[in-house]
Amino acid sequence: MFAQRLQNLQPYKPGEQPKDREYIKLNANENPYLPSPKIKEAVKDIPLQKLALYPDPDSHELKKAIAKALNKTGGVLVPAKDQQPLGFEITEDMIFCGNGSDEVLSFVFYSFFDSDKPLVSPEFSYSFYPVYAGYYGINLKKVPLNADFTLDTKAMLAIDSTGMIFANPNAPTGRALLPAEIEAMLEAYPKDKVFVVDEAYTDFSGYTVLPLLKKYENLLVIRTFSKSMSFAGMRLGYAIGAPALINALTTTKNSFNHFPTDAFCQTAAIAACSDIEWYVENCRKVINTRDIFCKALSDSGWNVIPSKTNFLLVSKDGMPGKDVYESIKKQGILVRYFDIDVIRDFVRITIGTDEQMQKLLDVMKKL
Ligand SMILES: Cc1ncc(COP(=O)(O)O)c(C=O)c1O
């Protein structure tokens, strides 16, 4: 009854959503703060007629709103002092929108990577990359991380590849390369191969590689509204790159589903982009809480990997990650552990509100 190819699929497992009781949910890197109240106003006023018609297949107004927001902030909500200014204007034809960055990534895998050479990625990065590689029959070459969990960029560049993909900051480690280090990689990388930087968590890091788009037409940056924009439930992700890359993604999209972003999503996201100060404020709060929690946890004897994201990867000597996860879950708090070598001893904790993190700290101090 089922197609052969189904037997080989190894699907992605998202963070659990148990219903047996109320949990403080710190397992999926969602944002603890609400999205802008302007969204409610905008959505309330959607004429019902709009729902009877197909939405704009190419999200034109939304792309303009995203471009405007990026140009306003310089590409990152809370920029570090030494983040380069954009140096050019991001235009609508440089943006592609999809149903969450997961879908955008799926189109990226389909559009740019062949199977004659391997696609290069770090051994630990977003766990959907191997899933898409399997789905599309792409040979994924996973390069082990350095001992401190940074990327081994030299080893990644040494491979003759069909393309390159990694998250920066990386997940689930939280470690980040600086834009200058990524530029050095781009310099050494063939200009006719697509080089993908997934910036899902970049707003929490202070840095972005967007200014490099001016110089490198093979660079494609992936972004999501799910993290710093508190929009995971609506599903919106986008890619930013040279118009030729965006056109390729649009061709792939139109061969699969013309309308990945619906009328509600487009309206809500345009409203979100008009209130970027709201998100800057929330992003600052998350960064501040992360840094305080990180120090408090280290002071209590936990090993904490330095993080540039809205999550921390932590371990305690002699305690397997699964035991830590289960003990914390018993106290009504969800974190995530990975049943994978090398990071089996760790749990990943999403940064919540100050109050939520204080509760978690009290629990973890007793473990
Ligand atoms: C590195 C990275 N990229 C992409 C995504 C997907 O985000 P979404 O599909 O919600 O836009 C995630 C989600 O956790 C992620 O961690």
Side-chain angles (χ1 to χ4, degrees), residues 65-78:
I66 293 173
K68 193 169 165 195
L70 290 172
N71 290 324
K72 185 170 175 180
T73 58
V76 61
L77 286 180
V78 184

Side-chain angles (χ1 to χ4, degrees), residues 12 28-29 99-103 105 125-126 128-129 167-171 198-201 222-227 232 235-237 311 348:
Y12 173 76
N29 299 341
N99 188 268
S101 58
D102 282 341
E103 189 191 62
L105 285 164
S125 199
Y126 184 33
F128 226 130
Y129 304 155
N168 195 64
N170 199 15
D198 180 348
E199 290 199 334
Y201 300 101
I222 309 298
R223 291 285 188 92
T224 176
F225 267 54
S226 297
K227 314 296 177 187
R235 313 303 301 128
L236 178 64
F311 59 83
R348 193 194 67 187

Side-chain angles (χ1 to χ4, degrees), residues 148-162:
D148 63 357
F149 284 173
T150 52
L151 304 197
D152 187 347
T153 57
K154 215 170 149 195
M156 288 167 76
L157 288 167
I159 298 163
D160 183 14
S161 58
T162 183

